[in-house]
Structures are given as structure tokens and as C-alpha cells.
Amino acid sequence: ERQELYNKAIQHLQSQPNASKWKNPTTFSTPLHVACRLIDVDQNQRSAKELCAVMDLLLQSYPEALQLKDASGNIPLHYAIAPSTLWMAGVAAVSASKSGEDMELSKD
């Protein structure tokens, strides 16, 4: 269950605060990036309180993570404010525009 996993993460961060500075060597995501991606998943579940506690510990031990971009150029806040379905649509749009395809927006 997520609640138990978050509690283990809290214990780990309390005993090893430098763990918040870890960066995935491929995606450049920090633990804060990952936690922010889970907000949409857990917003109405019992484990949301524990997720907030994890994010609080991450921010206390490594506030600079708020400004770090991952390989996609996103800071954790981008993941926190975008619902996962909208986020995936945005990723597809950015990928299309980077590959040279032009996207036209219709004006009403």
C-alpha cells in the first residue's frame, strides 16, 4: 500500500536527508520530481497526507530541488500542477513540435 511506502520513505529521509539530492542519471529526476508526479494519483486517497510529509522532508533537506530541471526541462512544480492526463498530452505536443511538425491552433 502506498501509505506504508510513504512512511518508509519518511523514515529513510529522516535518517538520511542527503537522499533527497539523488538524481536519476537518465531522466535527471530528483525524488521531488517523482513525488510531485504522484500528487494527481493520490489527491483523494488516505496516503495523500504521507505524500505531503515526504515532499515536506524533501524540500527541507534540499530546497534547491524546486528549481532543478529534469531531462524534459521540467521543474517539479510542472508535475505538481498538471493532472497526469493533461501532462501526457502536453508531452506529446512538445515531442511533435520538436520533431519539426507544426501544430496549428484553430481560432474561434
Side-chain angles (χ1 to χ4, degrees), residues 37 40 78-79 82-96:
R37 285 188 190 123
D40 190 39
H78 291 132
Y79 296 106
S84 58
T85 52
L86 291 177
W87 179 249
M88 292 312 296
V91 168
V94 169
S95 295

Side-chain angles (χ1 to χ4, degrees), residues 20-101:
S20 62
K21 295 181 179 181
W22 180 82
K23 231 184 197 182
N24 182 298
T26 304
T27 65
F28 305 127
S29 292
T30 65
L32 186 59
H33 283 93
V34 175
C36 287
R37 285 188 190 123
L38 296 171
I39 290 174
D40 190 39
V41 174
D42 279 336
Q43 67 182 359
N44 293 317
Q45 298 192 15
R46 293 183 312 187
S47 57
K49 180 180 174 183
E50 285 78 12
L51 177 59
C52 288
V54 168
M55 292 186 350
D56 186 48
L57 284 169
L58 291 168
L59 288 168
Q60 285 179 33
S61 58
Y62 191 40
E64 295 85 358
L66 279 172
Q67 298 175 359
L68 295 178
K69 293 181 179 181
D70 63 10
S72 299
N74 298 303
I75 61 173
L77 182 61
H78 291 132
Y79 296 106
I81 63 173
S84 58
T85 52
L86 291 177
W87 179 249
M88 292 312 296
V91 168
V94 169
S95 295
S97 67
K98 284 185 178 180
S99 68
E101 298 175 25

